[in-house]
Amino acid sequence: MQMPKPTDEAKQRFRSLVPDAEGVELKPMFGQLAAFVQGNMFAGLFGSTVGVKLAPPEAAELAQLPGAGPFGPPDRPMGGYLALPAVLPDVEAAAWVGKAKDYVATLPAKVKKSR
Protein backbone atom coordinates (compact mmCIF):
# COMPACT_ATOMS: atom_id res chain seq x y z
CA MET A 1 0.00 0.00 0.00
CA GLN A 2 1.20 3.47 -0.86
CA MET A 3 1.53 5.70 2.22
CA PRO A 4 -0.46 8.93 1.82
CA LYS A 5 1.76 11.99 2.16
CA PRO A 6 0.47 14.77 4.39
CA THR A 7 0.12 18.14 2.72
CA ASP A 8 1.81 21.19 4.18
CA GLU A 9 -1.67 22.32 5.27
CA ALA A 10 -2.32 19.00 7.08
CA LYS A 11 1.07 19.24 8.82
CA GLN A 12 0.38 22.82 9.90
CA ARG A 13 -3.07 21.87 11.22
CA PHE A 14 -1.55 18.94 13.16
CA ARG A 15 1.09 21.21 14.70
CA SER A 16 -1.65 23.66 15.73
CA LEU A 17 -3.60 20.88 17.49
CA VAL A 18 -0.65 19.66 19.57
CA PRO A 19 -0.36 21.42 22.94
CA ASP A 20 2.70 23.60 23.43
CA ALA A 21 3.58 21.97 26.75
CA GLU A 22 6.74 20.97 28.53
CA GLY A 23 8.02 17.59 27.39
CA VAL A 24 5.97 17.49 24.18
CA GLU A 25 7.99 16.73 21.07
CA LEU A 26 6.98 16.70 17.41
CA LYS A 27 8.95 14.30 15.23
CA PRO A 28 8.73 12.97 11.69
CA MET A 29 7.70 9.33 11.56
CA PHE A 30 7.50 7.28 8.34
CA GLY A 31 6.97 10.43 6.27
CA GLN A 32 4.23 11.62 8.62
CA LEU A 33 4.31 13.63 11.87
CA ALA A 34 3.84 12.38 15.41
CA ALA A 35 3.62 13.98 18.85
CA PHE A 36 5.33 12.42 21.86
CA VAL A 37 5.44 12.91 25.61
CA GLN A 38 8.01 11.04 27.72
CA GLY A 39 9.04 9.19 24.56
CA ASN A 40 5.55 7.79 23.98
CA MET A 41 3.43 8.78 20.98
CA PHE A 42 0.09 10.35 21.88
CA ALA A 43 -1.00 11.71 18.49
CA GLY A 44 -0.06 11.16 14.90
CA LEU A 45 -0.79 12.28 11.38
CA PHE A 46 -1.49 9.81 8.56
CA GLY A 47 -2.09 11.70 5.35
CA SER A 48 -4.63 14.27 6.53
CA THR A 49 -6.02 12.08 9.35
CA VAL A 50 -5.18 12.82 12.97
CA GLY A 51 -5.07 9.88 15.37
CA VAL A 52 -4.88 9.84 19.16
CA LYS A 53 -4.21 7.35 21.98
CA LEU A 54 -6.75 7.74 24.79
CA ALA A 55 -7.68 6.15 28.09
CA PRO A 56 -10.31 3.43 27.53
CA PRO A 57 -13.34 5.49 28.68
CA GLU A 58 -12.37 8.43 26.45
CA ALA A 59 -11.57 6.10 23.55
CA ALA A 60 -15.06 4.62 23.88
CA GLU A 61 -16.54 8.14 23.86
CA LEU A 62 -14.55 9.14 20.76
CA ALA A 63 -15.46 5.91 18.97
CA GLN A 64 -19.15 6.92 19.18
CA LEU A 65 -18.59 10.08 17.12
CA PRO A 66 -19.53 9.81 13.43
CA GLY A 67 -16.36 9.59 11.37
CA ALA A 68 -14.11 8.28 14.17
CA GLY A 69 -12.44 4.96 13.50
CA PRO A 70 -9.21 3.05 13.08
CA PHE A 71 -6.04 5.09 12.59
CA GLY A 72 -3.29 4.29 10.13
CA PRO A 73 -3.11 2.15 7.03
CA PRO A 74 -6.42 0.39 6.32
CA ASP A 75 -4.64 -2.97 6.12
CA ARG A 76 -2.68 -2.37 9.38
CA PRO A 77 -4.32 0.18 11.68
CA MET A 78 -2.36 1.19 14.76
CA GLY A 79 -3.64 -0.64 17.82
CA GLY A 80 -4.77 1.63 20.64
CA TYR A 81 -5.21 4.68 18.39
CA LEU A 82 -8.37 6.19 16.96
CA ALA A 83 -8.75 8.61 14.07
CA LEU A 84 -10.51 11.87 14.81
CA PRO A 85 -13.48 12.63 12.57
CA ALA A 86 -12.31 14.77 9.63
CA VAL A 87 -15.20 17.21 10.15
CA LEU A 88 -14.33 17.89 13.79
CA PRO A 89 -13.70 21.62 14.36
CA ASP A 90 -10.11 22.43 15.32
CA VAL A 91 -11.10 23.46 18.86
CA GLU A 92 -12.68 20.05 19.49
CA ALA A 93 -9.84 18.20 17.74
CA ALA A 94 -7.30 20.06 19.90
CA ALA A 95 -9.25 19.05 23.02
CA TRP A 96 -9.01 15.36 22.03
CA VAL A 97 -5.29 15.72 21.31
CA GLY A 98 -4.88 17.35 24.74
CA LYS A 99 -6.73 14.45 26.39
CA ALA A 100 -4.41 12.05 24.58
CA LYS A 101 -1.34 13.94 25.82
CA ASP A 102 -2.65 13.94 29.39
CA TYR A 103 -3.37 10.20 29.26
CA VAL A 104 -0.07 9.17 27.67
CA ALA A 105 1.83 11.35 30.17
CA THR A 106 0.57 8.97 32.90
CA LEU A 107 2.20 5.96 31.21
CA PRO A 108 5.74 4.86 32.04
CA ALA A 109 8.35 6.85 30.13
CA LYS A 110 9.85 5.02 27.20
CA VAL A 111 13.47 4.16 27.84
CA LYS A 112 15.79 5.01 24.96
CA LYS A 113 17.57 1.96 23.61
CA SER A 114 21.33 2.11 23.85
CA ARG A 115 23.29 1.06 20.80
Side-chain angles (χ1 to χ4, degrees), residues 4-7 9-11 13-14 17 32-34 41 43-52 67-74 78 81-87 93 97:
K5 292 193 185 268
T7 63
E9 182 178 277
K11 288 187 226 178
R13 177 175 184 256
F14 181 74
L17 299 177
Q32 313 291 325
L33 275 179
M41 184 174 136
L45 185 63
F46 185 75
S48 61
T49 304
V50 176
V52 293
F71 175 68
M78 292 179 66
Y81 290 82
L82 285 173
L84 297 179
V87 297
V97 172

Side-chain angles (χ1 to χ4, degrees), residues 36-90:
F36 297 81
V37 64
Q38 299 185 116
N40 294 306
M41 184 174 136
F42 66 88
L45 185 63
F46 185 75
S48 61
T49 304
V50 176
V52 293
K53 182 178 183 97
L54 297 163
E58 291 169 327
E61 182 183 340
L62 176 59
Q64 297 302 309
L65 296 181
F71 175 68
D75 58 337
R76 275 190 86 169
M78 292 179 66
Y81 290 82
L82 285 173
L84 297 179
V87 297
L88 209 58
D90 285 356

Side-chain angles (χ1 to χ4, degrees), residues 1-18:
M1 179 198 147
Q2 177 114 1
M3 294 277 279
K5 292 193 185 268
T7 63
D8 288 341
E9 182 178 277
K11 288 187 226 178
Q12 183 55 41
R13 177 175 184 256
F14 181 74
R15 286 183 187 102
S16 76
L17 299 177
V18 174

